[in-house]
Amino acid sequence: MDMQKSFLSPAMFDLVSDVDFIEMMPNTSVMAPMETQSTDCNGLYQDLTSIHEFDISTARSNDFCTSPVSASSGKPKRTRVISSIQRQAANIRERKRMFSLNEAFDRLRRKVPSFAYEKRLSRIETLRLAIVYISFMTDILKNS
DNA sequence: TAGGCCATCTGGTCCT
DNA sequence: AGGACCAGATGGCCTA
């Protein structure tokens, strides 16, 4: 597809990533956005079923205290004293949040065109490529 | 072995 | 009050 080839020119990739795509190009082929290709972040994520089953009610506590130190906003700083169980629950929520963030990155990865080289796009590469891709498509729409 | 990338933990702040 | 969000720290894995 000519349009895609021009989008994936070496000059474009210079804007997208620190990776030297020019050297890679002879060994790679151009791919359409990987809509149907599914990755699970290299299987790095742990099973989250235990997270869903976690009884959050056991982590409820009302342990707060106020610090004499004022926040930058001038408000009295409220320091939350957190139990280990609450901390554990917060960690689990954070893992779930990061999991959904990475799911979104995976969806974006499948939407942007890329070379079928062995290494998947990193998060920063995905964002940069998406920006360039959107700009490219916008230009096409403008000029048509 | 250094550097890049990522997962996880943690505490602070924002928001409902 | 408590969950969501964010950024810094840390450690593991991988690659050049």
Side-chain angles (χ1 to χ4, degrees):
Chain A
M1 189 178 183
D2 288 344
M3 190 174 72
Q4 195 171 60
K5 279 180 184 172
S6 62
F7 167 71
L8 291 170
S9 67
M12 274 295 191
F13 270 108
D14 281 347
L15 296 172
V16 168
S17 170
D18 299 334
V19 177
D20 187 353
F21 285 95
I22 298 172
E23 285 184 5
M24 289 179 172
M25 285 178 71
N27 300 325
T28 56
S29 60
V30 174
M31 294 184 68
M34 298 186 293
E35 183 68 43
T36 59
Q37 298 187 8
S38 125
T39 64
D40 60 348
C41 292
N42 292 342
L44 290 173
Y45 299 125
Q46 65 185 69
D47 181 13
L48 294 176
T49 47
S50 59
I51 292 174
H52 297 303
E53 291 168 357
F54 186 81
D55 183 6
I56 220 78
S57 62
T58 63
R60 296 274 158 78
S61 161
N62 297 322
D63 298 331
F64 282 87
C65 70
T66 52
S67 160
V69 179
S70 294
S72 57
S73 62
K75 295 177 184 175
K77 193 174 182 179
R78 187 182 61 162
T79 304
R80 201 182 298 183
V81 178
I82 190 171
S83 70
S84 63
I85 291 178
Q86 279 181 307
R87 185 65 262 172
Q88 196 178 349
N91 290 347
I92 289 168
R93 284 195 303 272
E94 179 66 8
R95 281 203 296 272
K96 286 172 72 175
R97 196 182 69 84
M98 295 307 295
F99 182 82
S100 66
L101 179 68
N102 286 325
E103 277 185 331
F105 267 108
D106 280 338
R107 286 200 297 274
L108 184 59
R109 252 180 217 112
R110 284 178 230 131
K111 291 289 183 186
V112 297
S114 64
F115 289 105
Y117 63 99
E118 63 282 355
K119 191 168 170 282
R120 72 167 189 159
L121 292 173
S122 69
R123 294 192 290 194
I124 186 67
E125 287 168 346
T126 302
L127 288 178
R128 287 171 174 162
L129 183 57
I131 290 168
V132 174
Y133 185 47
I134 290 168
S135 301
F136 180 75
M137 299 307 270
T138 302
D139 286 346
I140 287 180
L141 283 177
K142 255 191 250 172
N143 298 328
S144 63

